């Protein structure tokens, strides 16, 4: 009889669940890595868009100053001074803007690298632990299968003995019945 088949199947299902859980965890780590990379890439786009906005605003201020200069007589010298001051402030703003994004990107990239290193170590340790767990699980399965096989063998032996005993009882009953029949005939 196959007493071990359901037992083996249960252990296989458990192992598959363990391995699939590990794979799901690793895919989650990979997804987080992709999100981090996308975030880092988006910083470049965000910096570029903000820079264009600042430059557009600077162009609008220049347009306003041009309008003032052309409509208000005698303001050319003052407008030139204001224009130089505005350009200086925008240049300062754009430099700080670029430095800020470089700093943020560098720090974020360092954080991402540290996170990637940490998760790689964690995944490696998890892989080792899962391998040990699966190995121990297989040993437990082997012991359980062996015990089930022994139990099955003992059960078959016991069933054989019960069948032999029933046969002996039937023989004794038949002999008793035969003996009773012989006594009645005599």
């Amino acid at each position: 009889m196959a007493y071990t088949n359901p037992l083996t199947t249960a252990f296989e299902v458990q192992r598959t669940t363990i391995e699939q859980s590990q794979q799901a965890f690793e895919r989650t780590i990979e997804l987080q890595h992709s999100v981090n990379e996308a975030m880092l890439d988006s910083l470049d786009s965000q910096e570029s868009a903000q820079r264009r906005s600042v430059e557009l605003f600077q162009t609008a201020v220049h347009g306003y100053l041009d309008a003032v200069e052309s409509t208000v007589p005698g303001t050319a010298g003052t407008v030139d001074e204001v224009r130089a001051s505005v350009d200086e402030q925008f240049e300062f703003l754009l430099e700080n803007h670029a430095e800020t994004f470089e700093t943020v990107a560098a720090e974020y990239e360092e954080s991402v690298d540290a996170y990637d290193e940490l998760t790689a170590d964690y995944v490696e340790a998890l892989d080792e632990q899962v391998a040990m767990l699966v190995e121990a699980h297989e040993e437990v399965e082997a012991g359980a299968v062996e015990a089930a096989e022994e139990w099955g063998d003992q059960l078959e032996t016991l069933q054989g003995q019960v069948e032999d005993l029933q046969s002996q009882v039937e023989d004794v009953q038949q002999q008793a019945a035969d003996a009773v029949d012989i006594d009645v005939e005599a």
Side-chain angles (χ1 to χ4, degrees), residues 55-102:
E55 291 169 346
L56 182 61
F57 186 63
Q58 183 180 13
T59 301
V61 170
H62 277 270
Y64 173 75
L65 291 174
D66 290 343
V68 168
E69 186 176 29
S70 67
T71 57
V72 180
T75 58
T78 306
V79 169
D80 286 342
E81 287 178 21
V82 170
R83 188 183 317 271
S85 177
V86 165
D87 286 345
E88 188 178 301
Q89 293 300 315
F90 274 106
E91 185 178 322
F92 179 75
L93 176 63
L94 289 172
E95 284 175 11
N96 282 338
H97 183 266
E99 287 176 15
T100 299
F101 268 92
E102 284 176 19

Side-chain angles (χ1 to χ4, degrees), residues 118-174:
L118 178 66
T119 55
D121 291 345
Y122 184 74
V123 167
E124 184 179 330
L126 180 65
D127 287 345
E128 290 174 8
Q129 290 175 351
V130 168
M132 289 180 357
L133 175 63
V134 167
E135 184 179 324
H137 191 265
E138 288 170 346
E139 289 175 12
V140 168
E141 177 187 10
V145 166
E146 184 179 326
E149 286 173 350
E150 288 177 14
W151 179 78
D153 291 344
Q154 290 174 359
L155 184 60
E156 287 176 7
T157 301
L158 184 60
Q159 284 175 336
Q161 290 173 350
V162 167
E163 289 171 3
D164 288 345
L165 186 58
Q166 285 177 337
S167 177
Q168 289 174 2
V169 166
E170 288 172 3
D171 287 346
V172 168
Q173 288 175 339
Q174 186 61 43

